[in-house]
Amino acid sequence: MGILFSSLRTGTGGRSGVLRSGSVALGAELKQIIRTNSQQMAIKTYGKVLRYVDSSKAVTEKAGRPRLQPIALSCVLNIGACKLKMSNWQGAIDSCLEALEMDPSNTKALYRKAQGWLGLKEYDQALADLKNAQEIAPGDKAIQAEL
């Protein structure tokens, strides 16, 4: 699929595996997919990016690996957002848990996980995640609005 590989390139000579993100281009293309209510297509595309990131980690020098983390985190968070739009509450929670393994203080993951709990009518779980998010980002208006 052209979306993935036209937006991500490997480093020098295509051998180093270090991703240079065309995140603006990739983000714009995926946002267009989501706007057309094709969350399933977006999930597949984010999954392809994650597989590409994983395979790049195998051939990337240790110094280059931290550059891959934000790309992977963004993909996992966006998969969670797509699952929320599809009312796949447990799937969204699972994606957010994966994101929180990468970045335990990610307020976006905590917020989306709380939305998943709300969808499952697990209000105590949702409240706990929202309170954790509020501790990390006390000024976040979206979090405050949910509380």
Side-chain angles (χ1 to χ4, degrees), residues 1 3-4 8 23 26-34 38-54 71-83 112:
M1 177 171 258
I3 292 172
L4 172 63
L8 295 175
S23 59
L26 180 62
E29 291 172 6
L30 284 169
K31 284 179 185 177
Q32 181 59 35
I33 291 171
I34 292 168
S38 183
Q39 284 83 21
Q40 196 63 40
M41 176 72 147
I43 289 171
K44 284 182 178 183
T45 305
Y46 286 124
K48 285 182 180 181
V49 173
L50 283 172
R51 286 190 300 276
Y52 190 69
V53 167
D54 284 342
I71 297 168
L73 180 61
S74 178
C75 288
V76 171
L77 286 169
N78 288 332
I79 288 170
C82 290
K83 289 181 179 182
R112 289 181 181 166

Side-chain angles (χ1 to χ4, degrees), residues 45-122:
T45 305
Y46 286 124
K48 285 182 180 181
V49 173
L50 283 172
R51 286 190 300 276
Y52 190 69
V53 167
D54 284 342
S55 65
S56 293
K57 284 180 183 177
V59 296
T60 303
E61 298 172 18
K62 267 190 175 181
R65 288 186 186 153
R67 288 201 241 162
L68 299 174
Q69 180 79 4
I71 297 168
L73 180 61
S74 178
C75 288
V76 171
L77 286 169
N78 288 332
I79 288 170
C82 290
K83 289 181 179 182
L84 284 173
K85 284 187 172 201
M86 297 169 63
S87 300
N88 179 352
W89 311 121
Q90 188 61 54
I93 291 167
D94 293 343
S95 292
C96 292
L97 287 170
E98 187 177 346
L100 289 165
E101 285 178 18
M102 293 181 216
D103 179 5
S105 63
N106 190 292
T107 56
K108 191 179 283 189
L110 288 166
Y111 178 79
R112 289 181 181 166
K113 186 173 151 215
Q115 289 178 315
W117 288 124
L118 287 172
L120 293 175
K121 298 183 180 4
E122 295 286 343

